[in-house]
Amino acid sequence: MGGARKRKAPLIEDCAVVPLPQDGDCFYKCIARAYASAGLSASDEANEIMLNDKENEVKRLRRCVSRRVDDGVFAQFAVAHQAGLDDYAFMRRLPDAAALRAKLCVSGAESGATRCVWANEFEISTLCDVLELTALIVDESAAENSRFLVVPGREDKRRLQRRCFVVLLRTARSHYNLGAFDDRSLFE
Protein backbone atom coordinates (compact mmCIF):
# COMPACT_ATOMS: atom_id res chain seq x y z
CA MET A 1 0.00 0.00 0.00
CA GLY A 2 3.00 2.28 0.28
CA GLY A 3 4.69 4.43 -2.30
CA ALA A 4 2.25 6.99 -3.65
CA ARG A 5 1.20 10.04 -1.68
CA LYS A 6 -2.00 9.21 0.16
CA ARG A 7 -5.03 11.35 0.74
CA LYS A 8 -5.80 11.83 4.43
CA ALA A 9 -9.12 10.60 5.73
CA PRO A 10 -11.43 13.30 7.00
CA LEU A 11 -12.34 13.08 10.67
CA ILE A 12 -9.47 10.72 11.67
CA GLU A 13 -6.02 12.08 12.43
CA ASP A 14 -3.10 10.29 10.70
CA CYS A 15 -5.43 7.99 8.75
CA ALA A 16 -4.70 7.60 5.05
CA VAL A 17 -7.34 6.66 2.49
CA VAL A 18 -6.70 3.55 0.42
CA PRO A 19 -9.03 4.28 -2.51
CA LEU A 20 -10.86 1.39 -4.12
CA PRO A 21 -12.93 1.29 -7.30
CA GLN A 22 -16.67 1.90 -7.02
CA ASP A 23 -17.52 -1.40 -8.67
CA GLY A 24 -19.81 -3.00 -6.10
CA ASP A 25 -16.98 -5.05 -4.59
CA CYS A 26 -15.46 -2.24 -2.52
CA PHE A 27 -16.41 -3.63 0.91
CA TYR A 28 -14.97 -7.05 0.07
CA LYS A 29 -11.84 -5.45 -1.41
CA CYS A 30 -11.39 -3.41 1.78
CA ILE A 31 -11.43 -6.55 3.88
CA ALA A 32 -9.10 -8.39 1.49
CA ARG A 33 -6.63 -5.45 1.43
CA ALA A 34 -6.74 -5.07 5.20
CA TYR A 35 -5.81 -8.71 5.72
CA ALA A 36 -3.16 -8.50 3.01
CA SER A 37 -1.60 -5.56 4.88
CA ALA A 38 -0.92 -8.05 7.69
CA GLY A 39 0.33 -10.74 5.31
CA LEU A 40 -2.91 -12.74 5.57
CA SER A 41 -5.70 -13.87 3.27
CA ALA A 42 -9.17 -12.94 4.54
CA SER A 43 -10.79 -15.83 2.68
CA ASP A 44 -8.26 -18.29 4.12
CA GLU A 45 -8.96 -16.90 7.60
CA ALA A 46 -12.68 -17.48 6.91
CA ASN A 47 -11.89 -21.08 5.87
CA GLU A 48 -13.37 -20.41 2.43
CA ILE A 49 -11.68 -22.76 0.00
CA MET A 50 -10.74 -21.82 -3.54
CA LEU A 51 -13.01 -23.65 -5.99
CA ASN A 52 -10.87 -22.99 -9.07
CA ASP A 53 -7.65 -21.26 -10.14
CA LYS A 54 -9.51 -18.21 -11.47
CA GLU A 55 -11.34 -17.47 -8.24
CA ASN A 56 -10.10 -14.33 -6.51
CA GLU A 57 -10.34 -13.19 -2.90
CA VAL A 58 -13.51 -11.12 -3.49
CA LYS A 59 -15.38 -14.07 -5.02
CA ARG A 60 -14.41 -16.25 -2.06
CA LEU A 61 -15.53 -13.63 0.47
CA ARG A 62 -18.82 -13.14 -1.38
CA ARG A 63 -19.40 -16.89 -1.35
CA CYS A 64 -18.58 -17.00 2.37
CA VAL A 65 -21.37 -14.49 3.02
CA SER A 66 -23.83 -16.12 0.61
CA ARG A 67 -23.50 -19.51 2.31
CA ARG A 68 -25.02 -17.98 5.43
CA VAL A 69 -28.27 -16.99 3.71
CA ASP A 70 -31.23 -19.05 4.85
CA ASP A 71 -35.00 -18.61 4.51
CA GLY A 72 -35.03 -16.16 7.42
CA VAL A 73 -32.42 -13.92 5.82
CA PHE A 74 -34.29 -14.13 2.51
CA ALA A 75 -37.49 -13.06 4.30
CA GLN A 76 -35.71 -10.05 5.87
CA PHE A 77 -34.38 -8.98 2.46
CA ALA A 78 -37.86 -9.43 0.94
CA VAL A 79 -39.43 -7.22 3.64
CA ALA A 80 -36.81 -4.53 3.01
CA HIS A 81 -37.62 -4.67 -0.71
CA GLN A 82 -41.38 -4.53 -0.07
CA ALA A 83 -40.80 -1.50 2.17
CA GLY A 84 -39.31 0.25 -0.87
CA LEU A 85 -35.70 0.46 0.30
CA ASP A 86 -33.57 1.21 -2.77
CA ASP A 87 -30.67 -0.98 -1.64
CA TYR A 88 -32.94 -4.03 -1.96
CA ALA A 89 -34.42 -3.36 -5.41
CA PHE A 90 -32.48 -6.37 -6.74
CA MET A 91 -34.89 -8.61 -4.77
CA ARG A 92 -37.75 -8.09 -7.24
CA ARG A 93 -36.50 -10.98 -9.39
CA LEU A 94 -35.36 -13.35 -6.65
CA PRO A 95 -37.91 -16.04 -5.74
CA ASP A 96 -36.08 -17.79 -2.90
CA ALA A 97 -32.99 -18.07 -0.68
CA ALA A 98 -31.08 -20.08 -3.28
CA ALA A 99 -31.50 -17.27 -5.83
CA LEU A 100 -30.34 -14.73 -3.24
CA ARG A 101 -27.26 -16.84 -2.45
CA ALA A 102 -26.40 -16.94 -6.16
CA LYS A 103 -26.92 -13.17 -6.53
CA LEU A 104 -24.65 -12.40 -3.56
CA CYS A 105 -21.84 -14.33 -5.28
CA VAL A 106 -21.88 -12.05 -8.35
CA SER A 107 -18.79 -9.83 -8.47
CA GLY A 108 -19.20 -6.24 -9.57
CA ALA A 109 -15.71 -6.12 -11.07
CA GLU A 110 -16.63 -9.01 -13.36
CA SER A 111 -20.24 -8.23 -14.23
CA GLY A 112 -20.69 -4.51 -13.54
CA ALA A 113 -21.59 -2.45 -10.49
CA THR A 114 -25.31 -2.52 -11.30
CA ARG A 115 -25.44 -6.32 -11.59
CA CYS A 116 -24.09 -7.19 -8.16
CA VAL A 117 -25.28 -6.69 -4.59
CA TRP A 118 -23.42 -3.95 -2.75
CA ALA A 119 -22.68 -4.79 0.89
CA ASN A 120 -25.32 -3.82 3.43
CA GLU A 121 -25.79 -4.61 7.11
CA PHE A 122 -26.19 -8.37 6.63
CA GLU A 123 -23.11 -8.77 4.47
CA ILE A 124 -20.93 -6.59 6.72
CA SER A 125 -22.02 -8.14 10.02
CA THR A 126 -21.83 -11.67 8.60
CA LEU A 127 -18.26 -11.28 7.37
CA CYS A 128 -17.28 -9.58 10.63
CA ASP A 129 -18.75 -12.52 12.51
CA VAL A 130 -16.95 -15.14 10.42
CA LEU A 131 -13.61 -13.33 10.64
CA GLU A 132 -14.05 -12.32 14.29
CA LEU A 133 -13.53 -8.77 13.07
CA THR A 134 -14.79 -5.40 14.23
CA ALA A 135 -15.40 -2.83 11.50
CA LEU A 136 -15.00 0.77 12.58
CA ILE A 137 -17.01 2.63 9.94
CA VAL A 138 -16.63 6.35 9.41
CA ASP A 139 -19.55 7.62 7.33
CA GLU A 140 -18.36 10.81 5.68
CA SER A 141 -21.84 11.77 4.45
CA ALA A 142 -23.75 11.16 7.72
CA ALA A 143 -24.89 13.82 10.13
CA GLU A 144 -22.18 14.96 12.53
CA ASN A 145 -23.63 13.07 15.52
CA SER A 146 -23.83 9.74 13.65
CA ARG A 147 -20.65 9.57 11.58
CA PHE A 148 -19.01 6.76 13.53
CA LEU A 149 -20.37 3.22 13.62
CA VAL A 150 -18.95 0.03 15.09
CA VAL A 151 -20.05 -3.24 13.49
CA PRO A 152 -19.09 -6.32 15.44
CA GLY A 153 -20.18 -9.71 14.27
CA ARG A 154 -23.19 -11.26 15.90
CA GLU A 155 -21.10 -13.61 18.06
CA ASP A 156 -19.64 -11.05 20.45
CA LYS A 157 -18.39 -13.61 23.01
CA ARG A 158 -15.76 -14.92 20.58
CA ARG A 159 -14.70 -11.37 19.83
CA LEU A 160 -13.53 -10.89 23.39
CA GLN A 161 -10.87 -13.56 22.82
CA ARG A 162 -9.59 -12.25 19.49
CA ARG A 163 -10.06 -8.64 18.54
CA CYS A 164 -9.15 -7.58 15.01
CA PHE A 165 -10.17 -4.16 13.78
CA VAL A 166 -10.44 -2.53 10.39
CA VAL A 167 -11.29 1.10 9.54
CA LEU A 168 -13.75 1.52 6.68
CA LEU A 169 -14.40 4.94 5.20
CA ARG A 170 -17.92 5.14 3.79
CA THR A 171 -18.53 7.80 1.19
CA ALA A 172 -21.69 8.72 -0.67
CA ARG A 173 -23.74 5.95 -2.29
CA SER A 174 -22.59 3.12 -0.01
CA HIS A 175 -19.02 3.10 -1.30
CA TYR A 176 -16.21 2.02 1.02
CA ASN A 177 -12.53 2.90 1.00
CA LEU A 178 -10.02 1.48 3.43
CA GLY A 179 -8.35 3.42 6.23
CA ALA A 180 -4.64 2.84 6.81
CA PHE A 181 -2.13 3.88 9.45
CA ASP A 182 1.54 3.49 8.50
CA ASP A 183 0.52 1.20 5.60
CA ARG A 184 -1.36 -1.14 7.94
CA SER A 185 -5.09 -1.68 7.86
CA LEU A 186 -5.70 -4.68 10.11
CA PHE A 187 -5.15 -4.22 13.81
CA GLU A 188 -5.27 -6.50 16.83
Side-chain angles (χ1 to χ4, degrees):
M1 278 188 272
R5 183 176 160 95
K6 294 185 182 93
R7 184 181 70 153
K8 294 292 181 189
L11 310 173
I12 303 177
E13 191 174 327
D14 298 326
C15 181
V17 175
V18 178
L20 295 163
Q22 294 185 17
D23 59 6
D25 289 337
C26 56
F27 165 73
Y28 298 99
K29 287 178 180 175
C30 282
I31 301 304
R33 292 280 298 266
Y35 274 77
S37 78
L40 301 169
S41 161
S43 56
D44 286 348
E45 293 291 314
N47 295 317
E48 195 63 44
I49 62 169
M50 187 179 295
L51 296 180
N52 62 57
D53 294 341
K54 296 178 183 175
E55 193 172 52
N56 63 29
E57 189 85 346
V58 168
K59 292 283 281 188
R60 291 170 67 193
L61 292 174
R62 281 183 167 279
R63 188 176 64 248
C64 177
V65 169
S66 75
R67 288 188 310 106
R68 282 138 179 99
V69 170
D70 58 18
D71 290 336
V73 171
F74 175 80
Q76 291 173 353
F77 275 53
V79 166
H81 170 63
Q82 290 167 355
L85 299 177
D86 290 339
D87 287 351
Y88 296 88
F90 65 89
M91 288 293 293
R92 72 180 167 272
R93 293 189 183 107
L94 302 181
D96 55 29
L100 176 56
R101 283 191 292 273
K103 184 72 172 174
L104 287 172
C105 286
V106 174
S107 167
E110 293 177 3
S111 50
T114 59
R115 293 194 172 126
C116 70
V117 177
W118 289 50
N120 281 311
E121 292 81 5
F122 171 76
E123 295 89 333
I124 294 169
S125 64
T126 297
L127 203 52
C128 285
D129 182 36
V130 170
L131 292 169
E132 299 178 4
L133 178 71
T134 299
L136 308 171
I137 300 174
V138 181
D139 191 337
E140 298 173 5
S141 60
E144 189 173 327
N145 62 347
S146 60
R147 286 188 180 149
F148 300 96
L149 177 67
V150 177
V151 180
R154 288 167 280 180
E155 299 294 326
D156 292 333
K157 292 176 189 169
R158 289 186 317 183
R159 189 135 356 301
L160 295 175
Q161 296 168 350
R162 179 178 178 222
R163 295 185 92 112
C164 287
F165 300 90
V166 64
V167 176
L168 302 175
L169 307 169
R170 183 175 183 211
T171 62
R173 305 194 71 225
S174 300
H175 175 66
Y176 291 93
N177 287 312
L178 184 60
F181 298 86
D182 297 326
D183 290 335
R184 290 187 55 232
S185 298
L186 184 70
F187 307 96
E188 288 193 55

